[in-house]
Amino acid sequence: MGIEELPERRFRPVTVWCGVAAIVLALACGELMAAHIGALGPLTSLFRDYAGTPKSATTPWAGFLLALVGITVRARVGAVAAAIAIDLLFVVIRTAEGRPFTVGNGPTIVLTALAVLAFVRWDGQRRRTALRTIAFGALLICATKISEIWLDITAWACPMVLDPYVQVADRVLGSPSWLAGQALDAAGPVASGVVRWVYFELPLAAVLVAAWQLRGVTTGGWPRHYLVRTFLTLGLVGPIWYVVFPVVGPVLAYGPQGLGFEITDVWPNVVPEVPSSIEALRFDAITPRNCMPSLHTAWALSLFIHSRRGPLWLRWGGAFWLVCTLVATLGLGAHYGVDLVVGAALCLTVESALRDPDRGWDRSRVRLVAMGVAVCAGVLLCIRFFALQMAAHPLPSGIVLLGALGALVITFYATWFGSASVEPTAASADSAVQREEDDIQPEQLTRSATGDHSDDSGHTSSLRAMP
C-alpha cells in the first residue's frame, strides 16, 4: 500500500459539530438554571473572563497552555506575549478602579483569537492539529464553568446529606480525616499552605502532564490515549454521583464551617461516638454536595498513572501531586476516607475503559471494568445500609473494604502493565498489528522505513511494563 493511500484518523464533522452543540447547550441550560436558583451562570462567568474579573486565574491559563501544544514554537511565543500583555492591561485597569487583583483575561482572549486564526487562515495538518488542541483548552475552561453551576445545583436539589452514614462507616478506616487534620495542624502553616495550593491547582499539574504527552503532535502522530481523555471522562461521570449520594464533608458536617447546620463542632479533635441510629442531615442550600466520590483523588491518581511513562522529574512530580492531594483531601476536612476509596476505584474503572483502545473490549478489560463498577457500587451500598454494622465490626469490614480496592489495583496493574500483558494471544496480536497498520500516519511510516522507531507521543507501547 502506498503512503498516499494510508488513511489519516480524523474526527467526523458530524461528531465535531455535535460536540460543539452539546457544549453550547450545556452552557445555555446552566445559565438558565443559574438564573432560577440565583447563582452565577456559566455564560456570565465566561463573559467575565473576557471583559470583567475572572473567577479563576488558573483555569484560563491552564486551558490556554494546553492549546499551545498544537501550534508552532513561533506562534506560541507570540501568543504567550500577547496574553501576558493583555493581562497586564486588565490588571492596571482593575487596580485603578479598586477592584481585586487577578489574571485570566489575556489567555481567554488570545485563545479565542487563535481559534479564529487557525480556522480561517491555516489549512491541512497544521489547521487540524491546532484546532484539536485549542478545542481541548476551550473545553477545559467551559467544563469548569459548567461544573461550577452543577455544584450549585447539587446544593439546591439535595437538601439532605448522608454525612452521618459516611462518618460512621469511616470508622473501619480509623476515621482518617480526623487523624490527617490533627497531623496537618501540628505540621504548621507552611505544610498546610503547600497541600492547600496543590489541592486547588490540580488543573495546572494536569496540563503539564498532558503537554508532555502531546508535545510531538505538531510533527508526528497523536498518542492513542492521553490524560485529557481520562480527565474529561471523570469530570463527566463523577459529578452525577453528587446528587445520588450527597455528602458535604467532615469540616462542614462535624466542624467549624457548618454555619449552624453541623451535627457537632468536633473536627478534627474528637471523633464522634457511634450513634444508636442514623438518619440523613438537612444542610444549607449553598454548600456543594461534592464529596462522594472524591474526584480530586480520582484526577490525582490518573495524573500519577499517566506520569509514569515520563522523565524522572515528571514521575516524581506525579507522585508528589498524588501524595499532597490525598493529604489535603483528608487534612483539610474536605473528604472522608471512604470518599477516597470510591474515587480511586472510579479512576481505575474509567482508565481501564479508555486506555489502549486498539486492544478492544477483550475479556480482561470487561472483567476489570466490571470489578471497578462492583467496588464503587458495593462500597456505596454498604455505607448507606450497613454503616452501623461496619462500625460495630471495624477490623473485618476494613479488611474487606481495603481488600476490594487492593484487588482492583492489582488486577489493573496486571492487565495493563504486568508481565501477563506483554504476551498477547496470536489472534489479538494479529488484529492489533492490522489495526496499527490501518491507523499509521505517513510520518510514522517514513520513520519506520528509515529505522527510527521512536514514538512522537513520548509513549512506549501500552503492552510494555511500567517503569
Side-chain angles (χ1 to χ4, degrees), residues 51-62:
T53 302
K55 185 175 181 179
S56 170
T58 304
T59 302
W61 272 102

Side-chain angles (χ1 to χ4, degrees), residues 53-264:
T53 302
K55 185 175 181 179
S56 170
T58 304
T59 302
W61 272 102
F64 175 66
L65 294 176
L66 180 59
L68 295 184
V69 175
I71 63 178
T72 62
V73 175
R74 180 179 179 182
R76 290 174 194 168
V77 173
V80 170
I84 293 175
I86 295 173
D87 251 353
L88 290 176
L89 177 61
F90 273 90
V91 167
V92 171
I93 294 174
R94 276 192 290 267
T95 302
E97 295 178 350
R99 289 186 287 166
F101 171 85
T102 188
V103 294
N105 305 97
T108 306
I109 294 172
V110 176
L111 179 62
T112 306
L114 279 176
V116 174
L117 177 65
F119 187 80
V120 175
R121 298 290 300 274
W122 299 346
D123 55 17
Q125 183 63 35
R126 181 189 183 191
R127 178 191 187 191
R128 288 190 295 272
T129 302
L131 287 177
R132 190 170 176 180
T133 56
I134 289 171
F136 283 145
L139 187 58
L140 175 63
I141 296 173
C142 292
T144 302
K145 305 300 183 184
I146 295 171
S147 67
E148 289 169 354
I149 184 58
W150 178 253
L151 295 181
D152 292 327
I153 292 174
T154 64
W156 170 79
C158 303
M160 309 297 291
V161 297
L162 301 178
D163 285 76
Y165 294 87
V166 183
Q167 188 274 139
V168 171
D170 215 34
R171 301 302 182 92
V172 304
L173 300 178
S175 299
S177 180
W178 271 257
L179 296 176
Q182 295 174 19
L184 205 57
D185 285 344
V190 175
S192 298
V194 170
V195 299
R196 186 182 297 272
W197 181 82
V198 168
Y199 184 78
F200 288 107
E201 301 303 334
L202 182 62
L204 179 61
V207 166
L208 292 177
V209 175
W212 182 85
Q213 290 181 320
L214 303 177
R215 70 194 185 283
V217 296
T218 57
T219 57
W222 283 72
R224 300 294 288 132
H225 179 52
Y226 40 93
L227 181 64
V228 176
R229 303 173 74 233
T230 304
F231 246 65
L232 293 177
T233 305
L234 286 171
L236 180 65
V237 176
I240 296 175
W241 296 98
Y242 293 166
V243 295
V244 176
F245 208 98
V247 181
V248 294
V251 75
L252 291 160
Y254 294 91
Q257 299 182 23
L259 302 178
F261 290 90
E262 69 274 10
I263 297 175
T264 179

Side-chain angles (χ1 to χ4, degrees), residues 262-276:
E262 69 274 10
I263 297 175
T264 179
D265 185 0
V266 295
W267 185 90
N269 300 314
V270 179
V271 179
E273 295 184 0
V274 178
S276 57

